[in-house]
Structures are given as structure tokens and as C-alpha cells.
Amino acid sequence: MITLPLTPVPMPMKVRLLVLDSTPEPVRQAMSDVEGARREMRAYRPLAWAEDAADREDTLACLARANKVLGTYDPRLVVRGAM
């Protein structure tokens, strides 16, 4: 059997907006928090300074709160591993 590789197809903006409109507000906020936490986690040096370690812990706490909301709504939305 010959299988062809699946290529990702971009989602049109109108479809994306329809999906967002049907998503509850707390879930949308949690998705935004996860993206922000991912961005912040990439910015930290590998625990070079005590302030970076404290900021990293705050970011991980934010990610954990967002995961709790996302997991309640749909367990498949939970983010595994921030890096």
C-alpha cells in the first residue's frame, strides 16, 4: 500500500474566528497564557541568575494554571513541557 505524506493545510482566518467565537472566554484566556508562557520560557537563560529562576517559577505557575483550565475544558489541549 502506498501512502502519501500529509501536508499541513493552513486554516482560513474566517474558520479560525468561528472556532474562537465558539470557545469559552476562560479557555481563550488560558490559550493566550500558554503562548505567553512559552515565549517567556525561551527568553530565560539556564538558571544563570536568581532573578531568572524566580521569573521561571512564576512562568511555570502561570502555565500550570492555564493547563488546569485547558484540561478541564478538553484534556487534549493540555501543554506538555514548556520548552
Side-chain angles (χ1 to χ4, degrees), residues 60-79:
L60 287 174
C62 177
L63 182 64
R65 286 190 302 271
N67 269 340
K68 189 174 183 178
V69 172
L70 293 174
T72 303
Y73 181 70
D74 185 352
R76 294 174 293 175
L77 293 176
V78 172
V79 176

Side-chain angles (χ1 to χ4, degrees), residues 25-35 65-67 69-70:
E25 179 61 33
V27 175
R28 279 189 269 169
Q29 183 62 41
M31 288 178 179
S32 173
D33 290 346
V34 165
E35 288 306 314
R65 286 190 302 271
N67 269 340
V69 172
L70 293 174

Side-chain angles (χ1 to χ4, degrees), residues 5-27:
L6 295 175
T7 56
V9 178
M11 186 185 299
M13 186 55 83
K14 288 184 179 183
V15 174
R16 191 174 297 205
L17 291 174
L18 283 173
V19 169
L20 281 176
D21 284 344
S22 65
T23 305
E25 179 61 33
V27 175

